[in-house]
Amino acid sequence: MKLNNIIFDFDAFAAKMADLRHKKHFDHLVTIVGEDFGEEGLGCIYILENTKTHERISVKTIAKQIGEDYVVSTVSNLWKSANLEEREIFDFFGIKFLGHPDMRRLYLRSDFKGYPLRKNYQPAEGYTLEDDEEPTYTCQFELDKKGNLVERHIPLFGDNDFVVNIGPQHPSTHGVLRLQTVLDGEKICKIYPHLGYIHRGIEKMCESYTYPQTLALTDRMDYLSAMINRHALVGVIEEAMGIELSERIQYIRTIMDELQRLDSHLLYIGCCAQDLGALTAFLYSMRDREHVLNAMEETTGGRLIQNYYRIGGLQDDIDPNFVKNVKDLCVYMKPMFKEYMDVFGNNVITHNRFKNIGTMDLENVISYGVTGPSGRASNWHSDVRKNHPYGMYDKVEWDEVTCDSCDSFGRYMNRIEEMKQSIRIIEQLIDNIPEGEYYIKQKPIIKVPEGQWYFSCEGSRGEIGAYLDSRGDKSPYRLKFRSMGLNLVGSMDEMLRGEKIADLITVGAALDFVIPDIDR
């Protein structure tokens, strides 16, 4: 979508956003984009969705400068997903959100100097090897009656709080994620996520890369949704440039996206089992995942890192054996879903560990922006393929998978059912791939017209989106990815309050986040 921003000034911003939330039912905050707009100053763009009509709008506001500080009113009181997203913007741009309950850095060290996504940022030489002394308090900012910025320090922990770190080196956190967990006995009282252990600065790097060079980075975010990540990026560039793709490209991309979904969900059901101590089910799913990767590899040459989509189409045409291999894969996979349920899904231990664990109702799922199969377990019809179709998804018959269990077991079952739908989509397309170009030739130097665009795809874990601000150059002025996993991690605190410490592992497994997707 091309963004036609509604502009709210600082004084009216909080009231106008509350009106959009409560009176016009824009109850889903898709993403917040922090940006250095140059002469305009620092500010934010908010992309909102009405979940009843699926209408999307964008709002822009410029931060108010007070001395050397920049401030914007928080919207975390309206949309809970804004909690971590505003902290991300504070970390990289230094915008302080008035009224935010926990204004600390999210990714970078607490003693990091400067804000790296500002255009005038100059990195310091060298790197410290000293321990990062974390503050035991959080900061909250307000304006007093005279318009001065007031900072308050609020202790994070009480004198009797027992604090345990889950991670960052814990096999069941699926990567280097640290969850600072406050306990009362075995009961969870509060979770503070700490991110940034593998932060690569992808969005900053993109500002100095040409558009084709940026493509290499998407496969390395959520490496289990590599195709779909890149689909979002090439999609936003192609929409901005007005590139018309052939039907052959659209068919192949849709098939590849669904193969990637199968790949990811197969690893998911195996990791869920392994996290709960059931190694056998992990071996079953990894066995079958090899067949999916084999079918993709003959065409792309890759297994984890695919490097297949290009701006204007595909890197190469499909392998001569691709159609036969994919059809054989579909025949092979169909009976396996029952096997997964027999081995793990219908196991009494699985039911006891998953059912009624990590519950979250529809209203909160939307407020936290828990998209994908995890959100659809609370009956949220959030599938981007249905609500904002791309590729061939509006040309084939398939069902959006939802349930109303609102728990970890529903999130698990949704993946099983989604794999069946992926097979259904692939079977309708694989015998009907039309002739035509697999790549629409582009100029050697790709320049995108001036403007702002947002394009999203349905990734394995939810909506993966790409925001692009172009100033007509060969590099993006600002490129921002909507992480699938950041909102999943942000919801864990509320999901797990009152649950047992062992349930934290269960909920993390069922939510299915991938750390480099969060830690871009």
Side-chain angles (χ1 to χ4, degrees):
M1 68 183 255
K2 190 177 193 313
L3 302 189
N4 296 303
N5 299 318
I6 303 168
I7 299 176
F8 295 149
D9 63 25
F10 175 81
D11 294 327
F13 175 75
K16 294 288 188 181
M17 293 297 275
D19 284 346
L20 288 174
R21 169 67 184 87
H22 297 300
K23 294 181 180 179
K24 298 189 178 179
H25 199 72
F26 284 95
D27 51 343
H28 173 34
L29 175 61
V30 179
T31 191
I32 310 175
V33 182
E35 187 166 350
D36 183 342
F37 293 105
E39 292 183 0
E40 284 186 274
L42 303 178
C44 300
I45 290 178
Y46 301 74
I47 300 176
L48 308 174
E49 179 175 326
N50 180 322
T51 57
K52 291 181 178 178
T53 64
H54 306 301
E55 177 192 0
R56 287 190 167 179
I57 61 171
S58 58
V59 173
K60 177 179 177 181
T61 190
I62 300 298
K64 182 176 182 178
Q65 187 170 1
I66 302 175
E68 296 184 354
D69 295 309
Y70 294 84
V71 297
V72 172
S73 296
T74 185
V75 294
S76 60
N77 56 321
L78 302 173
W79 299 277
K80 294 179 180 180
S81 61
N83 190 306
L84 292 188
E85 294 200 51
E86 289 179 347
R87 285 182 61 188
E88 178 183 5
I89 293 168
F90 166 67
D91 203 352
F92 296 142
F93 291 93
I95 298 174
K96 296 175 178 177
F97 290 88
L98 305 176
H100 190 286
D102 187 2
M103 201 84 278
R104 290 178 293 155
R105 287 190 183 270
L106 183 62
Y107 293 98
L108 304 175
R109 292 170 58 109
S110 57
D111 60 356
F112 190 90
K113 303 298 183 186
Y115 303 100
L117 285 184
R118 291 186 183 182
K119 295 297 182 181
N120 61 358
Y121 172 72
Q122 296 294 329
E125 292 187 11
Y127 187 81
T128 178
L129 298 179
E130 299 296 321
D131 286 343
D132 182 15
E133 295 293 332
E134 293 182 350
T136 57
Y137 57 85
T138 183
C139 299
Q140 295 181 3
F141 295 95
E142 299 288 352
L143 295 182
D144 63 17
K145 294 180 180 179
K146 295 182 179 179
N148 298 316
L149 188 63
V150 177
E151 178 178 346
R152 292 192 299 142
H153 291 175
I154 310 296
L156 291 169
F157 312 111
D159 293 337
N160 297 320
D161 284 341
F162 185 70
V163 183
V164 172
N165 286 305
I166 308 297
Q169 283 92 14
H170 189 292
S172 293
T173 55
H174 301 261
V176 278
L177 170 69
R178 174 180 165 217
L179 298 171
Q180 201 171 25
T181 309
V182 181
L183 299 175
D184 179 8
E186 284 191 46
K187 187 174 70 174
I188 295 171
C189 302
K190 181 71 179 174
I191 294 175
Y192 294 107
H194 290 256
L195 311 173
Y197 289 90
I198 61 169
H199 197 73
R200 299 159 173 164
I202 283 176
E203 292 174 6
K204 183 68 173 180
M205 292 165 65
C206 286
E207 294 177 8
S208 59
Y209 282 13
T210 63
Y211 284 100
Q213 287 174 329
T214 63
L215 303 185
L217 302 174
T218 55
D219 292 14
R220 292 160 174 81
M221 296 191 300
D222 180 351
Y223 41 79
L224 299 174
S225 290
M227 290 280 198
I228 310 174
N229 294 344
R230 187 176 287 206
H231 199 159
L233 179 53
V234 297
V236 75
I237 297 169
E238 288 163 352
E239 182 178 338
M241 295 178 66
I243 298 172
E244 294 289 334
L245 301 177
S246 70
E247 274 204 338
R248 184 175 184 82
I249 295 169
Q250 301 283 27
Y251 268 72
I252 295 170
R253 281 187 180 178
T254 304
I255 293 168
M256 285 293 187
D257 281 6
E258 292 310 308
L259 289 173
Q260 186 80 80
R261 199 178 318 279
L262 283 171
D263 157 29
S264 179
H265 285 357
L266 283 170
L267 186 64
Y268 166 84
I269 63 172
C271 287
C272 274
Q274 188 179 42
D275 287 351
L276 270 60
L279 181 60
T280 303
F282 177 78
L283 298 176
Y284 275 56
S285 69
M286 289 299 286
R287 171 200 67 191
D288 296 340
R289 183 171 174 264
E290 288 297 300
H291 293 288
V292 180
L293 294 177
N294 289 341
M296 299 170 74
E297 184 185 17
E298 280 199 341
T299 290
T300 68
R303 294 177 77 79
L304 190 67
I305 307 301
Q306 302 293 345
N307 292 322
Y308 187 52
Y309 297 167
R310 293 173 65 188
I311 300 167
L314 310 169
Q315 182 71 27
D316 204 346
D317 208 348
I318 54 175
D319 185 83
N321 298 322
F322 179 74
V323 172
K324 179 183 181 301
N325 290 341
V326 171
K327 289 169 72 174
D328 291 346
L329 172 69
C330 292
V331 172
Y332 172 81
M333 285 296 301
K334 285 180 181 179
M336 294 303 169
F337 301 127
K338 181 178 183 302
E339 192 173 78
Y340 306 147
M341 294 302 295
D342 290 343
V343 172
F344 181 71
N346 286 329
N347 189 301
V348 65
I349 299 173
T350 305
H351 286 217
N352 289 339
R353 291 292 304 277
F354 270 16
K355 286 190 172 180
N356 298 316
I357 299 298
T359 58
M360 181 168 279
D361 61 22
L362 174 62
E363 182 180 354
N364 275 308
V365 157
I366 295 173
S367 186
Y368 276 105
V370 180
T371 57
S374 296
R376 290 192 285 276
S378 298
N379 209 29
W380 182 15
H381 293 265
S382 62
D383 200 311
V384 178
R385 296 171 294 174
K386 285 286 188 185
N387 300 336
H388 308 282
Y390 58 96
M392 298 304 296
Y393 289 111
D394 56 345
K395 305 292 194 302
V396 293
E397 294 182 4
W398 60 282
D399 298 323
E400 181 180 14
V401 177
T402 62
C403 66
D404 58 3
S405 66
C406 303
D407 61 4
S408 295
F409 189 69
R411 293 164 199 145
Y412 175 85
M413 287 303 302
N414 274 2
R415 264 78 173 194
I416 296 286
E417 295 302 318
E418 281 198 359
M419 286 194 288
K420 297 177 183 178
Q421 294 301 318
S422 290
I423 296 291
R424 185 180 171 192
I425 292 169
I426 291 169
E427 286 185 325
Q428 292 176 68
L429 297 174
I430 194 65
D431 275 331
N432 300 302
I433 300 175
E435 296 297 324
E437 297 290 334
Y438 67 83
Y439 174 64
I440 309 301
K441 189 173 181 180
Q442 304 300 310
K443 293 180 180 179
I445 304 294
I446 292 177
K447 293 185 177 182
V448 174
E450 289 190 27
Q452 298 165 329
W453 289 267
Y454 178 79
F455 186 92
S456 60
C457 297
E458 182 64 28
S460 307
R461 268 147 288 282
E463 178 177 342
I464 169 70
Y467 162 86
L468 171 63
D469 186 349
S470 171
R471 301 294 170 93
D473 203 352
K474 62 182 180 180
S475 301
Y477 183 80
R478 173 83 167 102
L479 190 60
K480 151 81 175 174
F481 294 99
R482 183 205 185 271
S483 164
M484 291 178 269
L486 184 62
N487 294 348
L488 302 180
V489 170
S491 68
M492 289 183 73
D493 172 46
E494 190 157 330
M495 278 185 188
L496 283 160
R497 284 183 205 166
E499 304 279 13
K500 296 290 177 32
I501 186 74
D503 296 329
L504 186 151
I505 302 302
T506 298
V507 169
L511 286 174
D512 189 29
F513 43 75
V514 170
I515 305 304
D517 167 55
I518 305 167
D519 238 355
R520 305 173 305 286

